[in-house]
Amino acid sequence: MLLLRWVWVGNGSNGEVAPYVVYWTLRLLMFALSFVMEDWAIHELVPSPRHRRVAVLLTASSYVTWTLQTHTFSNSVETLLVVWSMVLIQRILENQRLSSVFTSGILGLFIVFGTFNRITFPAFIAIPGIRLVPHFRRRPSALLSLLASSTLFTILAISFDTQFYAKEPITYSTLLNMPVITPLNNLFYNLETKNLAQHGLHPYYQHIVANLPQLLGPASLLLLTIPKFTPPLISAISGIAVLSLFQHQEARFLLPAIPLILSSVRLPQRFTRLWLAAWVVFNVAMGILMGMYHQGGVIPTQLYLASKEDATQAFWWRTYSPPIWLLNGESDRLRTTDLMGLQPDAMIATLSNAATCWNQKNDTKVGTYLVAPRSSTFLDQYTGGQPKTDLALEEVWTYKNHLNLDDLNFAEDGILATIKRVIGRRGLTTWRVFKYCVSPLPSS
C-alpha cells in the first residue's frame, strides 16, 4: 500500500488512494499470486513431468482459480498457505542430509499465520504433517526451530489482535491476563449452533453432495478413478472431513482442497476429448456466473452508498458482508450493519427501530437504507406507493448484474419457480427505509 501511495502522489491526490483503486489492485495482486504461487507449488508437489503438466493445466483453467481465488477472501489466502505448507513439508522430508532448520522455521510461521487466518487451516495439514515425526526424531534441531518459530509468531499474533480490539494501549499485564486469541474465539463461536444459524444451517453432507461438485464440475468424476492417495489428496480429504462437521457450509470454504485434488486426478483414458469439452464449457459458464453475477452488486452498491450524503445507516441483508473500507473514510458518518441471514420478521423489527420518519420534501440529512436482493419477495409488501404497514421502502438504486445464489429454495418453491424468481428478479437493490410517524390520510 505504501508503494501504491507513492505512485498515486503524481496523480494530484496527495497520495490518498481511492478505495476502488485499492480494491482492484488487491484483486490483481491475488490474481498474480494465485497463478504464480499455485503453479509453483504444483510443480514441486507432483513429481511426474507428464502428470505435472496435466495438474497445472487443470488448476489454471479451473474457474475457481481465476474467479474465487482472486478475491481477498480469507479462504483464498488459506489456499496459498495450505499448498505451500505442503511444499515445505515435502522439502523437509526430501532433504534428509540437511537439518532443515530454516525450512522448519518457515513452516512454523505458516502454521501460525494459517491458523490465525482461518481455524480450519490445521485440518488440511495435520495428517500430512504426521510424516515429519520420524524426521524430527532424527533432527531435533528442526523440531526446536519449528517450535521456536511457532511460539514467537503466536505471541506476535496475539499481541496484534489484543491491540486491535483493545480500547486503549495494551501492557504486558493485558497480554497475560486478557489476551485476545482469535482462533479460540472463532472456534467457540462456530461450536454454537445458534451462531451458525445466523449465517445459515446446512446438512452435514452439503460439502460432499453439492459444494464439491459445484467447484470441480466434470473433475468430480475423476475422483472415482484416482490410482493412489497422494499427500495432497490426503490433505484435501482431511480438510473436507473436518469442515463437514460444522453445519454452516459454503462452497468457498473448500477452496484449499481444489488445487490439491486437481493435482492428484488423472484425465480419463476413454472419451478424453468429450471430457475436456465438458470441462471447458463448465468453467466458462461458472466463471461468468461466479465472476460477474453471484453477489456481483456488493462492491458497486457500497461505492454508491459512500456517495450518498444523507446515508447515515445501512443495513445489508442476505448478501456477502460489505467491505467497510470501501466507504472512503465515511464509516464514521455511515454506520453499516450486516444482518446476514436474519429471519425476515426479526429483520423488519430491526429496520423499524432505525427507520426515519417520512419527509415529503425529502430534505432530511439523516437516512436509513436497506440493501437486499431484489429476489427477496418478502419485501414486496413494504414497497410500492401504498405499503400495507407503517414501514415503507423506497427504491433508490439497483445494480442488475447481481444474483443471490444463496437464496435458492427448491424444496419449498419448486425448481422452476425458484429459478424464475432468482434470475428473473436478479439485482441488488438499495431502498430508503422510512416509517409514517403520523398515520397518513386515507387515499380518496
Side-chain angles (χ1 to χ4, degrees), residues 71-342:
H71 286 276
T72 52
F73 293 146
S74 59
N75 314 92
S76 305
V77 177
E78 182 185 27
T79 301
L80 297 177
L81 292 172
V82 166
V83 295
W84 272 94
S85 293
M86 295 295 296
V87 169
L88 292 176
I89 291 173
Q90 182 166 298
R91 286 182 179 180
I92 293 173
L93 293 173
E94 289 179 348
N95 298 328
Q96 296 291 337
R97 296 182 180 180
L98 302 177
S99 61
S100 304
V101 172
F102 178 75
T103 307
S104 298
I106 298 299
L107 179 60
L109 166 62
F110 276 33
I111 291 174
V112 174
F113 187 11
T115 304
F116 274 77
N117 175 63
R118 286 193 66 82
I119 58 170
T120 55
F121 174 82
F124 287 96
I125 67 166
I127 295 181
I130 294 176
R131 297 183 300 155
L132 293 174
V133 173
H135 176 82
F136 287 151
R137 293 182 63 180
R138 293 191 302 269
R139 309 283 185 178
S141 58
L143 176 60
L144 289 176
S145 175
L146 175 69
L147 294 176
S149 173
S150 301
T151 302
L152 172 62
F153 288 108
T154 297
I155 294 173
L156 289 176
I158 293 175
S159 301
F160 288 143
D161 285 345
T162 304
Q163 177 63 64
F164 181 82
Y165 290 105
K167 297 181 180 179
E168 55 188 24
I170 63 172
T171 62
Y172 290 112
S173 176
T174 306
L175 284 176
L176 291 175
N177 299 318
M178 294 182 296
V180 176
I181 308 176
T182 50
L184 282 180
N185 295 339
N186 196 341
L187 178 62
F188 294 150
Y189 179 89
N190 282 279
L191 289 177
E192 291 287 341
T193 304
K194 64 180 181 180
N195 294 332
L196 298 181
Q198 300 180 48
H199 307 269
L201 297 179
H202 306 96
Y204 291 109
Y205 53 80
Q206 176 80 13
H207 279 321
I208 303 297
V209 174
N211 294 341
L212 200 58
Q214 175 185 326
L215 296 173
L216 290 174
S220 303
L221 301 175
L222 302 182
L223 291 172
L224 303 176
T225 60
I226 290 180
K228 63 179 180 178
F229 285 89
T230 61
L233 183 60
I234 293 173
S235 172
I237 292 174
S238 62
I240 295 172
V242 172
L243 286 169
S244 297
L245 298 177
F246 298 91
Q247 282 192 275
H248 179 63
Q249 301 185 11
E250 296 182 31
R252 62 186 176 91
F253 295 170
L254 300 183
L255 290 189
I258 303 308
L260 298 174
I261 292 175
L262 293 179
S263 62
S264 303
V265 298
R266 302 289 182 265
L267 293 180
Q269 296 182 355
R270 299 179 60 187
F271 307 109
T272 304
R273 292 186 177 181
L274 180 62
W275 185 91
L276 288 174
W279 174 254
V280 171
V281 171
F282 168 79
N283 284 287
V284 170
M286 290 299 292
I288 294 173
L289 178 63
M290 303 302 293
M292 295 177 58
Y293 286 96
H294 179 54
Q295 299 290 349
V298 173
I299 301 301
T301 300
Q302 187 74 315
L303 294 174
Y304 167 78
L305 286 173
S307 65
K308 292 285 292 183
E309 295 182 357
D310 68 332
T312 54
Q313 288 193 89
F315 293 90
W316 293 68
W317 187 52
R318 292 182 173 177
T319 70
Y320 281 174
S321 295
I324 306 299
W325 59 272
L326 279 177
L327 292 175
N328 195 20
E330 299 293 335
S331 55
D332 291 335
R333 170 184 64 82
L334 174 56
R335 185 173 63 184
T336 301
T337 303
D338 184 9
L339 298 178
M340 298 179 285
L342 193 65

Side-chain angles (χ1 to χ4, degrees), residues 109 202 219 269 326 350 373 405 421 429 436:
L109 166 62
H202 306 96
Q269 296 182 355
L326 279 177
T350 302
L405 298 183
R421 174 175 59 83
T429 299
Y436 295 110

